[in-house]
Amino acid sequence: MIDTKEFRTDHSISGADVEHILESIKGRKTFIDYGCHLGHLSFEAAIRYDVDVIAVDNFTGTVGDPHMRATFKNYPNGFKEIFDDNMSKVQDRFIGRVEAVTSEDFWSSRALELAGKVDSMFIDSSHRPEESGEYEKLANLLKSGGLMMGHDYEDGFFLGVIKPVTELRKSGRFGEFAVKGTVFSMVVQ
């Protein structure tokens, strides 16, 4: 049996964070894994639950991030090829479904179909302030009661995460808010 932990890199979320996220989405029907990396969270969700997972990534990494660059050097043929290969190793165990989409294709077409229909998502994409507008765009995809979670919510460390999450909380659209480890979660009212 293949364990999805083998699909993690130094840049991936921790096992404890994976368990917290998966417990939080239990019973939900749609899950966007935005910044899915090599797919371990997407795959675990589809293995455990009857959920439609949309795994979104640019599959090239964060420009200028030395940690990401170190991760990518081990994959000369690109992350999308690795993601697809990883999925082929575990998809026979899926209860749910996984659809891998590039960030570009997601925003040019798929997001339009999902507006107001998504009931859960996890964001672990770029943490750069200049790209923080994606949080607002992703929030618009959530339906009432939808759950937004994200990684690297560490006070003052990643301003590209802290600032947009703070702005969304101030907007009054979200109620319940919690932080466990480095994962934030909030629910659309």
Side-chain angles (χ1 to χ4, degrees), residues 86-150:
N86 289 346
M87 187 161 73
S88 73
K89 294 175 184 174
V90 295
Q91 66 189 18
D92 62 324
R93 295 173 40 212
F94 288 179
I95 297 168
R97 292 137 308 279
V98 176
E99 171 191 1
V101 182
T102 65
S103 306
E104 183 178 339
D105 288 343
F106 180 77
W107 290 114
S108 67
S109 62
R110 196 68 173 98
L112 299 172
E113 302 163 14
L114 296 168
K117 298 177 183 172
V118 175
D119 62 1
S120 62
M121 65 177 57
F122 178 74
I123 306 167
D124 191 15
S125 57
S126 173
H127 302 333
R128 298 182 313 175
E130 61 270 22
E131 295 179 14
S132 64
E134 67 192 5
Y135 284 83
E136 177 70 31
K137 290 172 22 180
L138 287 163
N140 291 331
L141 303 180
L142 289 166
K143 65 184 184 181
S144 180
L147 174 66
M148 176 185 274
M149 295 174 288

Side-chain angles (χ1 to χ4, degrees), residues 69-85:
R69 198 169 34 250
T71 300
F72 269 101
K73 74 177 179 164
N74 298 321
Y75 302 99
N77 295 320
F79 266 142
K80 180 65 168 81
E81 181 180 332
I82 301 299
F83 179 98
D84 291 342
D85 184 54

Side-chain angles (χ1 to χ4, degrees), residues 31-34 42 52-56 99 101 106 110 114:
F31 176 63
I32 295 176
D33 184 4
Y34 193 84
S42 296
D52 289 319
V53 179
I54 299 127
V56 183
E99 171 191 1
V101 182
F106 180 77
R110 196 68 173 98
L114 296 168

